[in-house]
Amino acid sequence: GAGVSQSPRYKVAKRGQDVALRCDPISGHVSLFWYQQALGQGPEFLTYFQNEAQLDKSGLPSDRFFAERPEGSVSTLKIQRTQQEDSAVYLCASSRGGVRLAPLHFGNGTRLTVT
Amino acid sequence: DAKTTQPTSMDCAEGRAANLPCNHSTISGNEYVYWYRQIHSQGPQYIIHGLKNNETNEMASLIITEDRKSSTLILPHATLRDTAVYYCIVRINTGTASKLTFGTGTRLQVTL
């Protein structure tokens, strides 16, 4: 299908390892978002891109979290020196953006487990 | 963004209408009401949004009170596949950052 694709679907990392999570947004979508969802909670905003520009990174919990979208399409969320509290589902969403704002389309997420 | 209050959980019999309430008493004039749902192990899915008029699409209807302090999402004929967590979100509809602030939502269980 033509939805938002995230990989890997599941990731297990030992504490202290670095991980990289990939998001392929819907083709042509200008806006891209990353969210973090802890078990039993609603998604929490991490960061937002408009094309390749990272316009809001206010939700990133620490400087161990880094996101990029170098060509304005695929995005990668990197977590350095993972900690157990980083265990969560990481969701990516994209939208057309624009004045009449289109809804966000979410991927099915990457479940990260830090052991 | 204005805070919303939703019941933690609700049950609904299959084939009946599911009415999910949401309070947003501090909503401001330029804030929209959005509804998303999240089926287990999937990402959130957009359902519907509105400003002050009632809205209907192929998935659901959204009824917003005249004072805009509350709204109700209506699934007219619930099926087992509608079992999910439903999130009510209010936010300003701008042309740039479309950050959504999710709460904990209502867990709807549709039963036979």
Side-chain angles (χ1 to χ4, degrees):
Chain A
V4 176
S5 178
Q6 292 188 246
S7 60
R9 187 78 170 92
Y10 302 93
K11 177 69 178 177
V12 179
K14 292 189 188 305
R15 189 162 55 96
Q17 283 184 333
D18 298 348
V19 298
L21 312 180
R22 178 187 170 102
C23 173
D24 285 82
I26 293 172
S27 179
H29 277 195
V30 168
S31 301
L32 185 144
F33 303 80
W34 284 98
Y35 282 80
Q36 180 190 58
Q37 186 170 24
L39 191 64
Q41 303 296 313
E44 293 197 2
F45 171 80
L46 293 177
T47 187
Y48 160 68
F49 290 85
Q50 185 169 308
N51 295 306
E52 68 278 4
Q54 189 174 20
L55 298 186
D56 186 344
K57 52 183 180 179
S58 62
L60 295 176
S62 76
D63 59 7
R64 295 186 296 103
F65 286 71
F66 172 76
E68 60 183 6
R69 194 186 185 196
E71 297 178 359
S73 177
V74 171
S75 177
T76 304
L77 176 67
K78 298 179 179 178
I79 308 173
Q80 297 176 325
R81 304 181 303 282
T82 52
Q83 303 295 316
Q84 284 194 316
E85 61 263 28
D86 300 335
S87 294
V89 175
Y90 291 86
L91 294 161
C92 176
S94 69
S95 76
R96 293 197 311 269
V99 176
R100 293 290 295 176
L101 198 61
L104 270 63
H105 298 262
F106 283 83
N108 287 331
T110 294
R111 180 177 297 277
L112 173 65
T113 302
V114 181
T115 61
Chain B
D1 293 341
K3 184 177 177 180
T4 62
T5 304
Q6 299 178 252
T8 302
S9 63
M10 294 181 64
D11 291 332
C12 179
E14 189 176 34
R16 305 298 292 268
N19 298 285
L20 292 93
C22 179
N23 286 325
H24 32 78
S25 58
T26 58
I27 193 170
S28 59
N30 58 354
E31 287 185 307
Y32 285 68
V33 179
Y34 282 77
W35 283 84
Y36 281 74
R37 74 179 183 184
Q38 189 171 24
I39 295 169
H40 183 62
S41 295
Q42 296 183 20
Q45 175 191 24
Y46 167 80
I47 302 173
I48 198 167
H49 75 279
L51 182 62
K52 54 184 177 181
N53 297 322
N54 297 338
E55 302 287 345
T56 295
N57 62 21
E58 65 279 3
M59 290 183 70
S61 295
L62 174 60
I63 308 298
I64 303 174
T65 58
E66 193 169 341
D67 63 7
R68 302 207 327 118
K69 293 185 177 182
S70 66
S71 61
T72 301
L73 179 75
I74 301 172
L75 308 178
H77 306 288
T79 71
L80 296 177
R81 287 175 293 185
D82 292 322
T83 292
V85 177
Y86 287 77
Y87 296 98
C88 169
I89 303 161
V90 294
R91 64 166 305 282
I92 295 172
N93 206 16
T94 70
T96 55
S98 58
K99 179 171 63 177
L100 299 174
T101 302
F102 290 81
T104 52
T106 295
R107 183 171 300 276
L108 175 68
Q109 180 69 52
V110 180
T111 58
L112 290 171

